[in-house]
Amino acid sequence: MSRRSRRTEVFILALAGCAAPALAQDEPALRVSGYYKNLLLRSETGTGARYNLDLNRLRLELKGQLSPTMSFDVQYDNEALVGSYLGTAQFQQQKNVPSSQYWSAQSSYVDGPELYGVHRLYRAQFQLAFGDTDLRIGRQRIAWGTGRFWSPLDLLNPVSPAALEPEERLGVDAVLVEHKFGPVSRMAGVYAPSHLRSGDSLALQWHDNARGVDFSVTAGRFRGDDVIGLDLAGQLAGAGLRAELSRVRPREGGTFNRALLGIDYAFANTLTLSAEVYRDGSGASSPDTYDFSALASGSRQTLAQRYLGLHAGYEITPLLKLNTEFVVNLDDRSRIVAPRIIWSVRTDLDVSLGLQWFSGATGTEYGRRPSAVYTQLQWFF
């Protein structure tokens, strides 16, 4: 058994010991939920080799209230992958990429040509409440920023607009302290350690509301880069408006800005539309200088400077929904079109059919990515 596997099992046993007092109560404050997902994907590698991949994920979530001031939330994933993708060189490289998370709470338990099994802690956080102050420790989602496709301020849990499962945000191992000064105003501070030298994150955020506009001011160091930023969210003529702006001083290189402007509108006929424009001053000015290795490692989510993102959602029937997303790199004109139809078979069972179509000239950001078609079944419990 690997060292990583032993660490995971020790944590789960410790969690069971913590949950025992809650189970012993007359009305245990313990909830178990989760989902099972089957994702069947057809695509090809970067070298043009076609493959199939069948991903099976079981997520178990355990939430407990150990006392009036102490609670926990742990989400455990067990994944089994089968298909021809396991025999590709791309998968062999991908599975050996080290995690960017501080705590190595993941290990594989089967590594064969026909089956690859891995389990991990997706979330694992303990929360203590002291009056108006909350303390959260562990692997968690810290959502700073308001962007849908991009966010200059959501730097602890960034996601790529090309992600097949954008709702699956990699958790960050951190300590978060939040103090509420009123119904809306609050101050939050976060510390996230890193194994890289000078790669720790330490930041503060003030959130408040003025004249019907929510705003946040953020300042700190994120993975070695000094960042100060502002985000705004409000309403105008029935539309939701969002904006983010940050100024970044990296460890190496010159200072640059990132900016986002977004708008959302919902029509009475269940049609919802969203649009975002994004500018990243650290992006390359030409495809000749794109850093594709940074994109593959996850240290960057985009490569160029100017982007446009559009989202449309329409409820065909109460049980049948259509979502479409369109992303374009305005510098090299490469594009992503991602339609998906979702059928709610039951209140706890969804079936989806989707497509990710990438297009663009050779050497562009999205033109080099292979398109994919997939089906997904997700059962919640």
Side-chain angles (χ1 to χ4, degrees), residues 17 39 55 57 123 125 139 142 146 181 184 186 189 229 263 269 287 292 301 330-331 334 369 373:
L39 178 64
L55 179 148
R57 178 187 300 134
R123 297 283 188 267
Q125 66 181 42
R139 181 160 297 173
I142 299 177
T146 58
F181 292 92
V184 178
R186 63 180 183 270
I263 183 171
N269 64 351
F292 287 105
Q301 284 68 53
L330 296 174
D331 292 325
S334 59
R369 296 181 64 114
V373 61

Side-chain angles (χ1 to χ4, degrees), residues 37-320:
K37 176 187 286 188
N38 176 268
L39 178 64
L40 181 60
L41 174 71
R42 174 70 172 174
S43 185
E44 61 183 41
T45 65
T47 59
R50 293 188 175 274
Y51 67 82
N52 296 313
L53 175 63
D54 187 9
L55 179 148
N56 298 269
R57 178 187 300 134
L58 177 65
R59 174 168 297 166
L60 300 175
E61 180 173 10
L62 182 66
K63 287 186 176 182
Q65 191 72 39
L66 301 178
S67 73
T69 60
M70 181 183 298
S71 61
F72 66 86
D73 181 2
V74 175
Q75 300 178 39
Y76 166 79
D77 283 359
N78 194 309
E79 287 184 357
L81 283 68
V82 297
S84 58
Y85 184 59
L86 274 61
T88 65
Q90 180 172 302
F91 175 71
Q92 298 304 315
Q93 295 175 355
Q94 176 186 339
K95 71 178 183 179
N96 292 321
V97 173
S99 172
S100 61
Q101 295 164 305
Y102 184 77
W103 180 24
S104 299
Q106 171 177 315
S107 66
S108 61
Y109 55 88
V110 177
D111 189 357
E114 299 180 352
L115 174 64
Y116 182 77
V118 61
H119 64 156
R120 69 177 67 88
L121 286 173
Y122 178 70
R123 297 283 188 267
Q125 66 181 42
F126 288 87
Q127 180 168 332
L128 297 173
F130 307 96
D132 293 327
T133 302
D134 292 334
L135 171 66
R136 293 206 322 245
I137 304 173
R139 181 160 297 173
Q140 54 190 294
R141 164 82 169 116
I142 299 177
W144 287 0
T146 58
R148 172 190 290 269
F149 296 97
W150 308 277
S151 176
L153 294 175
D154 196 358
L155 300 173
L156 295 171
N157 306 103
V159 66
S160 167
L164 189 63
E165 298 179 282
E167 69 280 0
E168 295 294 323
R169 296 293 187 103
L170 191 68
V172 61
D173 300 328
V175 177
L176 176 70
V177 180
E178 187 174 87
H179 181 77
K180 301 179 181 64
F181 292 92
V184 178
S185 59
R186 63 180 183 270
M187 172 69 80
V190 63
Y191 171 69
S194 171
H195 292 294
L196 301 177
R197 184 179 180 182
S198 303
D200 293 0
S201 298
L202 180 64
L204 294 172
Q205 184 183 80
W206 169 262
H207 180 83
D208 211 333
N209 180 281
R211 299 182 181 274
V213 177
D214 289 330
F215 69 91
S216 299
V217 179
T218 304
R221 174 165 291 187
F222 294 88
R223 298 184 174 92
D225 296 342
D226 294 327
V227 179
I228 184 169
L230 171 71
D231 71 85
L232 305 167
Q235 296 281 330
L236 179 63
L241 297 178
R242 298 173 282 110
E244 293 184 48
L245 176 66
S246 68
R247 187 162 181 81
V248 184
R249 185 177 66 185
R251 285 174 291 181
E252 300 178 358
T255 301
F256 59 88
N257 298 324
R258 290 189 175 117
L260 173 91
L261 180 62
I263 183 171
D264 310 296
Y265 192 82
F267 294 88
N269 64 351
T270 74
L271 174 65
T272 59
L273 299 175
S274 297
E276 286 184 358
V277 289
Y278 176 59
R279 179 173 175 80
D280 184 354
S282 69
S285 58
S286 168
D288 296 335
T289 56
Y290 280 169
D291 187 358
F292 287 105
S293 61
L295 200 66
S297 67
S299 59
R300 291 192 65 92
Q301 284 68 53
T302 57
L303 297 177
Q305 295 187 1
R306 300 180 303 141
Y307 293 86
L308 170 67
L310 302 174
H311 167 84
Y314 184 68
E315 191 175 280
I316 303 171
T317 73
L319 301 179
L320 195 63

